[in-house]
Amino acid sequence: MQIYIVEPGDTIDRIAALYGVTPEEISYVNQIPAPYRLAVGQAVLIPTGEDAGGAGAERAATSNGYAYPFISPWVLRQTLPYLSSLYVFSYGFTGTGELIPPAVSDEWLIREAYQYATAPVLVLTPLGADGKFNNNLIHAVVNDEAAEENLIENIRITVLEKGFQGVDVDFEYILAEDRDLFTRFVGELRESMNRLGITVSVALAPKTSADQPGLLYEGKDYRGLGEAADEVLLMTYEWGYTYGPAMAVAPLNKVRQVVEYALTEIPAEKIHLGIPNYGYDWTLPYVRGESRAVTIGNIEAVQIAIENSVPIRFDETARSPFFLYQRDGREHEVWFEDVRSMRDKFNLVTEYNLRGIGVWQIMRLYRPMWLLYTDMYYVV
């Protein structure tokens, strides 16, 4: 597949004629709705003949995606053919180790995953009643041997009953004092799950050094967790985030720093590279403590640019698309992902010989991402 950048005066018919493909192929691959308008600077993925995952694929790799149980069935079925594993988000727990299932039944996701030969994975999070990560829950369990054993046993029962093939531990804001206890918990969970043929992965905040300060980082021991788990996910996104200033969600220069540090602590074959499947729309000026960006999809971002007749620009350092527009007398700044930024991140999988990617999250379909990835890699 090739990538074309829309120029002034371009139409979908003109681009199709340039490459000898049909307008229908371009509109399908890129999810371009009728009347098929384009934005200047928009990156368009062009199918040039080979099937995705065909002769052009560079090497085998994995692809995982997180989904809530209320995902659209259509979106799930469109995405599952491209996934190695479906990460079901999420199971919580109490301070005594009782497992809390998702509010919406996840059994239909598990059934669908099996239909597409995709491995369903139970995601374990310490989410409190307010929907936020609660490090007091983590502290309570890892400091209480009986509670920890109870939690592991309840996970064991659930994966057997429901047919999960993996467990993903997504704990954030771990207290520094609980770092080693958390690492021990992951190792004990893995030992229990591996006896059943179940793998254990752990999500890692994007560190660039072992002693990086901050609540997100101090409780995560990259080396220890790399040894304790079968696999890890580097959460290489959220530099641009809801409450922060406008910037790229996953700037390539920052992503690369995280990968290069991780490789000093963890074997490359255990590492999944985190990929964001979303962008943000900020209202300017940014006011710390007051501003709140709106989460948008990548297809939606392009439509916003088209509706406001503004060109899409591309930051060469962050390797990410962005644009500015005016609405109701206020200036907006949008950063998102396109096939250019995705391709650069996917190339890191080959450059550093990583295991594959993990996408947060798949609730919105972004078909160009999946077609591009499977054009570059055989998904296993």
Side-chain angles (χ1 to χ4, degrees):
M1 291 189 168
Q2 297 186 40
I3 296 174
Y4 178 81
I5 308 304
V6 175
E7 299 179 353
D10 273 340
T11 65
I12 192 171
D13 294 283
R14 179 180 179 278
I15 296 170
L18 283 174
Y19 287 92
V21 299
T22 66
E24 290 76 16
E25 287 176 294
I26 293 178
S27 65
Y28 173 79
V29 165
N30 296 278
Q31 295 170 259
I32 301 173
Y36 311 111
R37 295 184 297 168
L38 302 171
V40 173
Q42 176 181 351
V44 178
L45 188 64
I46 308 295
T48 54
E50 291 291 340
D51 290 335
E58 294 179 2
R59 54 166 286 226
T62 54
S63 61
N64 307 326
Y66 287 84
Y68 293 88
F70 52 84
I71 187 174
S72 154
W74 180 82
V75 170
L76 182 64
R77 291 168 187 144
Q78 288 287 306
T79 307
L80 280 172
Y82 306 106
L83 290 181
S84 308
S85 299
L86 174 66
Y87 282 47
V88 179
F89 197 89
S90 70
Y91 281 71
F93 57 91
T94 68
T96 58
E98 296 302 314
L99 198 61
I100 303 173
V104 177
S105 174
D106 59 350
E107 293 182 2
W108 76 275
L109 274 82
I110 298 167
R111 288 195 302 270
E112 289 290 340
Y114 273 100
Q115 288 292 319
Y116 289 86
T118 299
V121 174
L122 181 156
V123 179
L124 183 70
T125 62
L127 293 176
D130 58 359
K132 297 180 179 179
F133 284 92
N134 185 337
N135 52 24
N136 291 320
L137 275 176
I138 302 170
H139 181 80
V141 168
V142 300
N143 283 277
D144 184 332
E145 185 176 347
E148 184 174 296
E149 290 178 356
N150 189 39
L151 178 57
I152 292 174
E153 175 61 13
N154 283 321
I155 294 170
R156 186 191 70 82
I157 292 169
T158 300
V159 297
L160 290 175
E161 286 182 347
K162 291 195 172 182
F164 284 110
Q165 296 180 30
V167 176
D168 179 57
V169 182
D170 184 4
F171 288 12
E172 300 183 28
Y173 305 105
I174 302 163
L175 298 174
E177 64 191 81
D178 292 333
R179 187 190 78 156
D180 294 340
L181 292 173
F182 171 64
T183 301
R184 187 200 65 190
F185 165 73
V186 172
E188 292 182 355
L189 176 64
R190 178 193 185 186
E191 183 179 348
S192 175
M193 294 299 107
N194 282 182
R195 287 198 292 267
L196 305 173
I198 305 296
T199 59
V200 170
S201 59
V202 61
L204 300 178
K207 294 177 69 168
T208 55
S209 66
D211 57 355
Q212 186 169 342
L215 188 56
L216 264 178
Y217 315 109
E218 293 174 3
K220 292 283 179 74
D221 175 6
Y222 266 40
R223 182 177 295 274
L225 290 168
E227 293 173 354
D230 295 298
E231 305 168 4
V232 305
L233 169 71
L234 299 182
M235 296 187 289
T236 46
Y237 37 77
E238 289 290 276
W239 274 269
Y241 67 104
T242 304
Y243 301 103
M247 65 178 293
V249 175
L252 188 68
N253 54 324
K254 299 297 185 181
V255 172
R256 185 180 292 275
Q257 288 177 12
V258 175
V259 172
E260 290 180 346
Y261 165 64
L263 288 169
T264 68
E265 306 280 15
I266 305 169
E269 62 270 17
K270 284 192 172 187
I271 297 175
H272 287 106
L273 180 68
I275 302 291
N277 180 32
Y278 60 93
Y280 286 114
D281 183 336
W282 285 268
T283 301
L284 304 180
Y286 168 75
V287 180
R288 186 177 180 85
E290 297 181 16
S291 295
R292 180 188 175 107
V294 176
T295 306
I296 58 174
N298 300 315
I299 300 298
E300 181 184 357
V302 173
Q303 292 305 308
I304 292 172
I306 292 170
E307 291 164 5
N308 290 277
S309 302
V310 296
I312 294 171
R313 297 152 66 184
F314 195 76
D315 185 284
E316 292 296 337
T317 300
R319 297 297 296 170
S320 295
F322 72 100
F323 60 88
L324 301 171
Y325 73 98
Q326 298 279 337
R327 177 183 291 167
D328 300 327
R330 300 289 299 276
E331 187 171 36
H332 289 246
E333 185 169 344
V334 173
W335 289 81
F336 64 107
E337 300 288 333
D338 66 11
V339 284
R340 289 172 292 184
S341 63
M342 292 287 189
R343 178 182 59 189
D344 288 343
K345 295 179 182 64
F346 295 163
N347 279 333
L348 297 179
V349 174
T350 293
E351 182 178 347
Y352 294 107
N353 203 30
L354 306 181
R355 186 178 186 89
I357 62 169
V359 177
W360 177 262
Q361 26 73 4
I362 64 167
M363 302 299 285
R364 294 180 176 92
L365 177 65
Y366 186 47
R367 185 178 290 117
M369 169 178 65
W370 299 115
L371 292 174
L372 177 63
Y373 188 73
T374 51
D375 189 59
M376 295 172 67
Y377 301 101
Y378 292 101
V379 175
V380 294

